[in-house]
Amino acid sequence: MTKILIGSDHGGYKLKNEIIKHLKSLDFEVEDYGCYSEESCDYPEVAKKVAESVLDTNNKGILVCGTGIGMSIVANRYNGIRASHCTDTFTARMTRMHNDSNVLCLGERITGVGLALDIVDIWLKTDFEGGRHLRRINMY
Ligand code: RB5
Protein backbone atom coordinates (compact mmCIF):
# COMPACT_ATOMS: atom_id res chain seq x y z
CA MET A 1 0.00 0.00 0.00
CA THR A 2 1.35 3.45 -0.91
CA LYS A 3 1.95 5.65 2.10
CA ILE A 4 1.40 9.39 1.84
CA LEU A 5 3.26 11.71 4.21
CA ILE A 6 1.20 14.83 4.82
CA GLY A 7 1.58 18.07 6.75
CA SER A 8 0.13 21.54 7.07
CA ASP A 9 0.31 24.69 9.11
CA HIS A 10 -2.80 26.35 10.57
CA GLY A 11 -3.49 27.96 7.16
CA GLY A 12 -3.81 24.55 5.53
CA TYR A 13 -5.23 22.57 8.42
CA LYS A 14 -8.82 22.22 7.17
CA LEU A 15 -7.84 21.27 3.61
CA LYS A 16 -5.28 18.81 4.94
CA ASN A 17 -8.01 17.05 6.93
CA GLU A 18 -10.21 16.84 3.82
CA ILE A 19 -7.29 15.32 1.90
CA ILE A 20 -6.58 12.81 4.67
CA LYS A 21 -10.25 11.74 4.71
CA HIS A 22 -10.21 11.38 0.92
CA LEU A 23 -6.96 9.39 0.84
CA LYS A 24 -8.13 7.04 3.58
CA SER A 25 -11.38 6.42 1.68
CA LEU A 26 -9.19 5.31 -1.24
CA ASP A 27 -7.24 2.97 1.08
CA PHE A 28 -4.01 4.96 1.13
CA GLU A 29 -2.00 4.79 4.32
CA VAL A 30 -1.49 8.35 5.59
CA GLU A 31 1.10 9.64 8.06
CA ASP A 32 0.21 13.07 9.45
CA TYR A 33 3.18 15.25 10.46
CA GLY A 34 0.99 17.99 11.95
CA CYS A 35 -0.13 20.52 12.73
CA TYR A 36 -2.94 19.08 14.81
CA SER A 37 -5.15 22.14 15.41
CA GLU A 38 -5.89 25.55 13.90
CA GLU A 39 -3.60 27.24 16.41
CA SER A 40 -0.97 29.38 14.67
CA CYS A 41 2.27 27.52 13.96
CA ASP A 42 5.33 27.79 11.70
CA TYR A 43 5.08 26.11 8.29
CA PRO A 44 8.87 25.57 7.90
CA GLU A 45 8.89 23.13 10.83
CA VAL A 46 6.28 20.91 9.20
CA ALA A 47 7.75 21.23 5.70
CA LYS A 48 11.16 20.13 7.02
CA LYS A 49 9.74 17.05 8.76
CA VAL A 50 7.82 15.93 5.67
CA ALA A 51 10.73 16.65 3.28
CA GLU A 52 13.18 14.70 5.43
CA SER A 53 10.79 11.79 5.74
CA VAL A 54 10.14 11.72 1.97
CA LEU A 55 13.90 11.51 1.41
CA ASP A 56 14.29 8.78 4.08
CA THR A 57 11.38 6.59 2.97
CA ASN A 58 10.91 7.36 -0.73
CA ASN A 59 7.18 7.90 -0.13
CA LYS A 60 5.33 10.86 -1.63
CA GLY A 61 4.49 13.94 0.44
CA ILE A 62 1.69 16.50 0.45
CA LEU A 63 2.09 19.90 2.14
CA VAL A 64 -0.68 22.43 2.65
CA CYS A 65 -0.44 26.00 3.90
CA GLY A 66 -2.42 29.15 3.17
CA THR A 67 -0.94 29.63 -0.29
CA GLY A 68 1.17 26.48 -0.76
CA ILE A 69 4.12 28.72 -1.52
CA GLY A 70 5.94 28.79 1.82
CA MET A 71 5.76 25.00 2.03
CA SER A 72 7.18 24.61 -1.50
CA ILE A 73 10.03 27.05 -0.87
CA VAL A 74 11.13 25.15 2.24
CA ALA A 75 10.71 21.65 0.78
CA ASN A 76 12.67 22.56 -2.36
CA ARG A 77 15.71 23.49 -0.28
CA TYR A 78 16.31 19.75 0.14
CA ASN A 79 18.36 18.04 -2.54
CA GLY A 80 16.19 15.24 -3.93
CA ILE A 81 12.89 16.94 -3.15
CA ARG A 82 10.96 18.10 -6.19
CA ALA A 83 8.07 19.99 -4.64
CA SER A 84 5.36 21.31 -6.93
CA HIS A 85 2.93 24.02 -6.04
CA CYS A 86 -0.18 23.22 -8.09
CA THR A 87 -3.41 25.14 -8.54
CA ASP A 88 -4.75 23.18 -11.52
CA THR A 89 -4.94 19.59 -12.75
CA PHE A 90 -2.83 20.15 -15.90
CA THR A 91 0.15 21.25 -13.84
CA ALA A 92 -0.40 18.36 -11.41
CA ARG A 93 -0.23 15.87 -14.30
CA MET A 94 2.73 17.49 -16.04
CA THR A 95 4.81 17.83 -12.91
CA ARG A 96 4.56 14.08 -12.37
CA MET A 97 5.24 13.23 -16.04
CA HIS A 98 8.16 15.62 -16.54
CA ASN A 99 9.52 16.55 -13.09
CA ASP A 100 8.91 13.32 -11.14
CA SER A 101 7.47 15.54 -8.43
CA ASN A 102 7.64 13.84 -5.02
CA VAL A 103 5.95 16.53 -2.93
CA LEU A 104 2.67 18.26 -3.82
CA CYS A 105 2.01 21.69 -2.30
CA LEU A 106 -1.48 23.17 -2.08
CA GLY A 107 -2.92 26.42 -0.77
CA GLU A 108 -6.12 26.23 1.27
CA ARG A 109 -6.76 29.95 0.71
CA ILE A 110 -6.41 29.54 -3.06
CA THR A 111 -7.82 26.18 -4.11
CA GLY A 112 -11.26 24.88 -3.14
CA VAL A 113 -11.66 21.38 -1.72
CA GLY A 114 -13.17 19.83 -4.88
CA LEU A 115 -10.38 21.00 -7.17
CA ALA A 116 -7.72 20.22 -4.56
CA LEU A 117 -8.89 16.60 -4.33
CA ASP A 118 -8.84 16.29 -8.14
CA ILE A 119 -5.30 17.68 -8.15
CA VAL A 120 -4.29 15.13 -5.49
CA ASP A 121 -5.86 12.24 -7.45
CA ILE A 122 -4.19 13.17 -10.73
CA TRP A 123 -0.83 13.85 -9.09
CA LEU A 124 -0.93 10.45 -7.36
CA LYS A 125 -1.98 8.40 -10.35
CA THR A 126 0.30 9.94 -13.00
CA ASP A 127 3.62 8.21 -13.66
CA PHE A 128 6.97 9.80 -14.43
CA GLU A 129 7.88 9.49 -18.13
CA GLY A 130 11.62 9.04 -17.53
CA GLY A 131 13.85 9.23 -20.64
CA ARG A 132 14.96 12.79 -21.41
CA HIS A 133 13.17 13.98 -18.29
CA LEU A 134 15.30 11.71 -16.11
CA ARG A 135 18.42 13.15 -17.76
CA ARG A 136 17.19 16.64 -16.92
CA ILE A 137 16.40 15.74 -13.32
CA ASN A 138 19.90 14.33 -12.97
CA MET A 139 21.31 17.72 -13.99
CA TYR A 140 20.40 19.24 -10.59
C1 RB5 B 1 0.18 31.69 7.40
O1 RB5 B 1 -0.55 32.83 7.68
C2 RB5 B 1 0.67 31.72 5.97
O2 RB5 B 1 1.67 32.65 5.86
C3 RB5 B 1 1.13 30.34 5.54
O3 RB5 B 1 0.09 29.43 5.68
C4 RB5 B 1 1.59 30.21 4.11
O4 RB5 B 1 0.65 30.71 3.22
C5 RB5 B 1 2.95 30.65 3.82
O5 RB5 B 1 3.44 30.59 2.68
Side-chain angles (χ1 to χ4, degrees):
M1 193 194 298
T2 310
K3 194 196 270 189
I4 308 299
L5 315 179
I6 194 163
S8 76
D9 70 350
H10 55 289
Y13 179 71
K14 285 198 199 96
L15 178 56
K16 178 185 71 176
N17 286 337
E18 293 293 335
I19 296 169
I20 291 173
K21 227 191 310 169
H22 178 67
L23 291 175
K24 286 188 171 166
S25 79
L26 296 173
D27 276 344
F28 284 99
E29 197 181 327
V30 182
E31 212 166 292
D32 186 0
Y33 285 76
C35 60
Y36 303 109
S37 78
E38 285 184 84
E39 197 183 317
S40 180
C41 65
D42 300 322
Y43 65 84
E45 286 182 0
V46 179
K48 285 177 175 185
K49 284 185 201 158
V50 170
E52 284 165 14
S53 187
V54 166
L55 290 174
D56 281 352
T57 63
N58 215 23
N59 288 306
K60 288 198 179 92
I62 298 178
L63 288 167
V64 192
C65 62
T67 60
I69 295 172
M71 288 296 199
S72 67
I73 290 172
V74 176
N76 276 320
R77 295 180 78 96
Y78 287 78
N79 192 18
I81 293 292
R82 294 174 298 281
S84 308
H85 176 235
C86 294
T87 56
D88 62 87
T89 52
F90 178 78
T91 315
R93 184 179 302 108
M94 294 309 290
T95 199
R96 285 290 309 130
M97 288 166 65
H98 287 192
N99 311 123
D100 198 16
S101 167
N102 53 7
V103 174
L104 173 66
C105 301
L106 294 163
E108 178 183 305
R109 296 173 188 159
I110 299 179
T111 307
V113 179
L115 176 56
L117 297 184
D118 275 357
I119 290 171
V120 167
D121 286 345
I122 286 172
W123 185 79
L124 285 174
K125 76 171 190 213
T126 305
D127 290 327
F128 180 46
E129 277 184 355
R132 68 186 186 282
H133 301 296
L134 179 60
R135 185 184 74 240
R136 289 166 185 163
I137 280 172
N138 286 334
M139 293 170 88
Y140 60 89

